[in-house]
Amino acid sequence: MAEPATTRDREPLVLPADEHNRRLVANVHPPGWVNPEPRDRYHLLAVGAGTAGLVSAIGAAGLGARAALVERHLMGGDCLNVGCVPSKAVIRAARAWHEVRTASGRFGAPPVAGAGTFAAVMERMRRLRADISKVDSARRFADAGVDVHLGEARFVAPDAVEVGGKRLAFRRAVIATGGRAAAPPIPGLAEAGYLTNETVFELTELPASLAVIGAGPIGCELAQAFARFGAEVTLLDMADQVLTREDRDAAAIVQEALARDGVELALGVKIQKVTGGAGAPVTIEIERDGAARTVTAERLLVAAGRKPNVENLGLEAAGVETNKQGIVVDDRLRTSNPRIYAAGDVAGLWQFTHAADAMARMVIQNALFFGRKKASDLVIPWCTYTSPEIAHVGMYEHDARDKGIEIDTLTLPLDDVDRARLDGAAEGFLRVHVAKGKDRVLGATLVAEHAGDMLGELCLAVTAGVGLDAISGVIHPYPTQAEVVKKAADAWRRGKLTPTVKKVFGWWFRVFS
Ligand SMILES: Cc1cc2nc3c(=O)[nH]c(=O)nc-3n(C[C@H](O)[C@H](O)[C@H](O)COP(=O)(O)OP(=O)(O)OC[C@H]3O[C@@H](n4cnc5c(N)ncnc54)[C@H](O)[C@@H]3O)c2cc1C
């Protein structure tokens, strides 16, 4: 099935073509940019200037290597242009709208009425994105010693790529071409047309209604945000719950929050067909347990998984193998061509900016300095930025079960934490898995308004092997929501008191009285 043309296939034109987007493009794909003459064999050539490519190229140049970076569209990749940055700006605005609308009932604030200005939300997002884009700009990278080549890269040999008719030879290369929204095989979908993360941030008018296919992190985040702006949102998925990869209890809390915010959940459904679209509303025919019904919406957003960008790269000429997940890599991120590595979303391991960053750092060490760093040693946390957020690090209960590791699990509700109650944000919990009978933290899931910001302590615990015993001895400021971590550690400590120790304490207090 043909996928709709994306902005990526054309000259960089970021819509709407306003002052902010012109500033963005001037930074990340400057009009009139002249590619440098290729230098002698580059020590490291990065294909793709998303997080993985940017970090590997600038890191290598900083160490004195001849480094090149090739980008066909916008430097900064998905994260800056159509991913983390615009989505989090939009989510922040949606939270503000929600707070304002609910503040009267919750906090006795003056009541508000009327609609907000969606166009202003999107303009704020574009302004901030343009401001942030300086960090990923072609000029900054060139000034840091990286040869920035704008154009489509294609391998023409195991040790060379071609860009704009010029051959760039390399000792080592890293494929960092990322991914894009996958199109599910639904009859009529391509003909109806739909938004993806590449086009949704171009909107300047709030659609009255929005259907979202895919209840993963991107689908849930955007469904909730658009519902909070006042669109009638329907979230569809074939799974019978949202966020299937998360702890079930954590996902259930987010599911309730979505429903409370007015998102209509059409879960466990099979989508039969899409009709309409192309300027008119779309109609989605769905079926569940033999019962058919339709969902009609002004716009349709598809957020049903990602697909690696591996096409037209000349990978055969380079001897680089791929599979469904993307480029096949070993534990050191090396592809089937020992000169070429892969990092970021295209390597098919994780799909997060911080993971792309961590993999790029590994590539520098392994590719240029005979490093032996392993991807399997990385501890990669993640967070879904719904309200409340779900943040996770390390093992889930099912991971431990699959690996035959015995664990103890502690769950601490957020309403045991004073600050969470005072903030009116007591919905959620912290769940910590420790090695059975020990304090070693193997994994943790936190559901809270700012779970992502609160997870750092647990990431340190999992990464550096800091146990709950040590965390229980760390003094946390009162009252903070992050006290939930210490409270869980204290609960673990109390549970550690064996009957014998309790007996000894009982004896001591009798003697001491
Ligand atoms: C809506 C959304 C929200 C997200 N939110 C978060 C979040 O909150 N936190 C988080 O950690 N992650 C988030 N992500 C994921 C994050 O954006 C990605 O994990 C990250 O961008 C991956 O970086 P990358 O370098 O692997 O690839 P990308 O950022 O995709 O960059 C790849 C680059 O390669 C270029 N390219 C491709 N082929 C070629 C070629 N042949 N020649 C030259 N250049 C080429 C592309 O144009 C692109 O610029 C989000 C993603 C989406 C879609």
Side-chain angles (χ1 to χ4, degrees):
M1 184 186 310
E3 286 176 38
T6 67
T7 49
R8 225 169 245 177
D9 302 324
R10 306 189 292 266
E11 271 294 287
L13 170 67
V14 181
L15 295 173
D18 68 351
E19 165 217 345
H20 307 304
N21 282 344
R22 271 193 291 278
R23 206 151 49 85
L24 171 75
V25 173
N27 278 332
V28 295
H29 194 124
W33 180 263
V34 178
N35 287 343
E37 269 313 303
R39 287 195 264 171
D40 278 352
R41 257 196 332 165
Y42 287 106
H43 291 113
L44 187 73
L45 178 142
V47 180
T51 306
L54 292 169
V55 172
S56 14
I58 206 162
L63 294 169
R66 281 190 305 279
L69 184 57
V70 189
E71 172 56 52
R72 68 177 178 189
H73 188 53
L74 301 174
M75 292 177 66
D78 276 7
C79 180
L80 171 69
N81 299 291
V82 291
C84 332
V85 169
S87 63
K88 269 73 243 179
V90 166
I91 287 167
R92 175 64 186 93
R95 193 168 79 237
W97 285 37
H98 177 77
E99 290 263 306
V100 166
R101 285 211 176 106
T102 56
S104 167
R106 295 172 70 205
F107 301 111
V112 291
T117 313
F118 179 74
V121 169
M122 299 310 263
E123 194 198 339
R124 172 181 180 272
M125 176 277 286
R126 294 194 300 276
R127 175 172 50 77
L128 293 172
R129 180 173 61 181
D131 292 348
I132 291 172
S133 70
K134 240 181 162 173
V135 178
D136 294 350
S137 67
R139 179 48 44 214
R140 175 172 171 248
F141 275 71
D143 289 348
V146 176
D147 276 4
V148 175
H149 297 265
L150 296 182
E152 177 116 21
R154 193 180 163 80
F155 287 92
V156 288
D159 61 355
V161 299
E162 210 173 81
V163 183
K166 295 218 165 120
R167 190 182 172 95
L168 277 55
F170 58 80
R171 285 185 75 90
R172 296 284 181 272
V174 54
I175 301 174
T177 50
R180 61 187 186 278
I186 300 169
L189 183 63
E191 294 75 11
Y194 53 88
L195 298 165
T196 67
N197 69 294
E198 284 180 29
T199 44
V200 70
F201 301 112
E202 293 175 356
L203 292 179
T204 51
E205 275 178 40
L206 180 68
S209 50
L210 178 73
V212 181
I213 298 181
I218 298 172
C220 286
E221 288 180 5
L222 292 177
Q224 187 175 42
F226 276 81
R228 287 179 160 193
F229 291 133
E232 268 179 39
V233 178
T234 308
L235 181 60
L236 304 109
D237 202 295
M238 59 202 222
D240 64 0
Q241 64 158 87
V242 304
L243 300 171
T244 48
R245 288 194 198 149
E246 288 303 338
D247 177 295
R248 230 183 142 81
D249 296 337
I253 291 182
V254 168
Q255 193 164 312
E256 271 174 39
L258 288 169
R260 222 177 24 244
D261 282 343
V263 176
E264 192 198 326
L265 297 159
L267 300 173
V269 300
K270 180 159 174 28
I271 301 177
Q272 308 283 23
K273 192 158 118 190
V274 176
T275 52
V282 285
T283 299
I284 307 165
E285 294 179 23
I286 56 178
E287 188 247 42
R288 187 189 162 136
D289 302 331
R293 72 176 181 103
T294 58
V295 171
T296 301
E298 190 181 313
R299 301 302 296 263
L300 171 61
L301 170 69
V302 172
R306 312 276 303 160
K307 211 169 150 179
N309 289 330
V310 291
E311 300 84 0
N312 306 320
L313 268 171
L315 295 178
E316 319 72 40
V320 171
E321 284 170 19
T322 61
N323 61 17
K324 242 180 114 191
Q325 277 74 46
I327 307 272
V328 178
V329 288
D330 67 13
D331 204 17
R332 301 203 154 82
L333 299 182
R334 204 157 68 158
T335 70
S336 47
N337 175 340
R339 291 189 186 89
I340 302 179
Y341 290 69
D345 285 12
V346 78
L349 301 172
W350 303 277
Q351 293 177 342
F352 307 107
T353 294
H354 46 281
D357 180 300
M359 284 190 260
R361 288 162 199 257
M362 254 185 76
V363 165
I364 296 174
Q365 296 184 48
N366 290 356
L368 300 180
F369 298 103
F370 305 103
R372 311 284 296 159
K373 298 278 173 197
K374 292 184 184 169
S376 54
D377 288 339
L378 295 175
V379 175
I380 305 284
W382 50 83
C383 182
T384 298
Y385 296 89
T386 43
S387 182
E389 298 176 354
I390 302 184
H392 177 84
V393 62
M395 287 184 189
Y396 290 102
E397 210 165 338
H398 65 81
D399 292 326
R401 218 178 19 248
D402 294 349
K403 291 185 175 153
I405 299 172
E406 285 197 276
I407 56 170
D408 290 322
T409 297
L410 272 141
T411 303
L412 205 104
L414 221 60
D415 64 9
D416 279 7
V417 179
D418 291 354
R419 180 62 185 275
R421 295 179 74 124
L422 298 168
D423 283 353
E427 185 184 41
F429 62 80
L430 169 64
R431 180 161 290 163
V432 185
H433 307 299
V434 290
K436 192 157 193 65
K438 309 223 162 65
D439 73 335
R440 176 87 208 255
V441 181
L442 299 179
T445 295
L446 177 56
V447 188
E449 275 303 329
H450 297 284
D453 287 320
M454 288 155 66
L455 196 73
E457 194 170 10
L458 290 155
C459 295
L460 178 68
V462 176
T463 309
V466 177
L468 289 184
D469 205 21
I471 292 177
S472 149
V474 174
I475 299 165
H476 290 60
Y478 174 86
T480 54
Q481 292 196 31
E483 275 187 292
V484 71
V485 181
K486 176 167 165 58
K487 280 180 176 282
D490 286 346
W492 170 84
R493 233 172 192 233
R494 282 194 300 276
K496 205 180 69 164
L497 288 182
T498 60
T500 320
V501 174
K502 277 187 187 158
K503 227 163 157 186
V504 173
F505 279 8
W507 169 83
W508 165 249
F509 285 116
R510 278 195 302 279
V511 173
F512 192 58
S513 56

